[in-house]
Amino acid sequence: MRTAETAGALVATAPHPGVAEARGAVGRLVAAAVVVWGALCGAGYLLTRPLHETAFERRDAWVNRWFAAHRSSTWNTVTHWLTYAAETLTVIAVGVVFFVGLRFALGRWRESLFLAAALVGEVTIFLGTTVLIDRDRPPVSHLDDAPPTSSFPSGHTAAALVLYGALAIIALRVSRRAWRRRLAVIVGVAIPLCVASARLYRGMHFPTDVLGGVVLGLAWLVITWAVVLRRRRDEPTDAVA
């Protein structure tokens, strides 16, 4: 009798499988974030200490000088609007709309949580890196007001890659329509490329800063997909129209 009561108590106090799964996912995400953050800080240290004011940095700024020498009023305007695709307010607004919309359209939380984890993790790693890494902007005229964060890594590039890449991954997972999947992939690739190019053109980042943003965005996108969204073998397909 006592054994049965003990077993019942253990069952009653055991965490719900969903809660245990969520705790495990959070733990894996935090551990992975620390690794990505450490790698970015290591790269940032090299750029701001051993490689600072060297031939490497001068070659790194060559792209910025080329863009600065070929600016025009038309491209100044185009790149200005392209930058808005990854501004903080844009990312927040698009993220919130899709977070809520996906929850109601699909009737579940997984895709919404994947999007939220991708965006929150990216900005957390980015800000954590800029706390330790303080890289100056490229030595050309800047077409935007320089934010207080470091030039390394490019936050706009990372944010664009994570936001539009995450939406493309979700579309590939849930949509049955081939044209929607193709369009999502095109947007998911084109917008980050355009944003990265715009940041170089406008003199706001070195190419290595953009590369750092790409590494951050891609690494975190893959990690959050693997931890939150990847379909298990025993999980049924759940595509929608």
Side-chain angles (χ1 to χ4, degrees):
M1 185 68 176
R2 184 171 299 175
T3 302
E5 292 176 354
T6 302
L10 290 174
V11 171
T13 58
H16 188 276
V19 174
E21 181 182 357
R23 288 177 180 173
V26 170
R28 292 191 294 274
L29 287 174
V30 171
V34 171
V35 172
V36 175
W37 171 76
L40 285 172
C41 288
Y45 173 82
L46 292 176
L47 292 171
T48 56
R49 296 294 189 276
L51 297 177
H52 180 50
E53 295 183 345
T54 64
F56 176 87
E57 187 172 78
R58 289 190 291 273
R59 286 193 294 269
D60 196 18
W62 178 85
V63 173
N64 302 106
R65 290 192 292 268
W66 187 90
F67 273 128
H70 293 82
R71 286 172 180 168
S72 67
S73 58
T74 298
W75 282 109
N76 289 353
T77 302
V78 170
T79 56
H80 171 74
W81 288 106
L82 285 175
T83 297
Y84 275 114
E87 286 287 350
T88 301
L89 290 178
T90 304
V91 173
I92 292 174
V94 175
V96 169
V97 167
F98 275 93
F99 179 88
V100 176
L102 288 167
R103 171 64 183 89
F104 284 100
L106 302 176
R108 56 178 181 265
W109 282 105
R110 179 166 294 186
E111 287 77 10
S112 295
L113 292 177
F114 162 66
L115 179 61
L119 293 176
V120 172
E122 178 274 321
V123 73
T124 301
I125 298 170
F126 165 72
L127 293 176
T129 303
T130 61
V131 167
L132 297 182
I133 305 302
D134 185 18
R135 191 184 195 189
D136 294 332
R137 303 283 167 175
V140 297
S141 60
H142 306 148
L143 297 184
D144 296 321
D145 293 331
T149 53
S150 167
S151 182
F152 178 87
S154 171
H156 280 75
T157 302
L161 221 165
V162 168
L163 174 61
Y164 301 103
L167 293 178
I169 289 172
I170 292 171
L172 289 173
R173 175 186 171 95
V174 305
S175 180
R176 291 194 184 100
R177 298 180 184 273
W179 70 267
R180 287 182 181 174
R181 297 196 298 271
R182 286 194 293 267
L183 178 61
V185 171
I186 291 171
V187 171
V189 173
I191 291 184
L193 285 175
C194 289
V195 169
S197 300
R199 300 304 282 169
L200 292 172
Y201 175 94
R202 301 182 70 78
M204 302 309 296
H205 290 290
F206 289 94
T208 46
D209 300 331
V210 170
L211 179 60
V214 170
V215 170
L216 167 56
L218 278 179
W220 190 245
L221 197 57
V222 171
I223 289 166
T224 49
W225 168 80
V227 174
V228 180
L229 198 63
R230 183 173 58 178
R231 184 180 291 112
R232 297 185 298 270
R233 290 183 178 180
D234 59 344
E235 186 176 348
T237 57
D238 47 10
V240 297

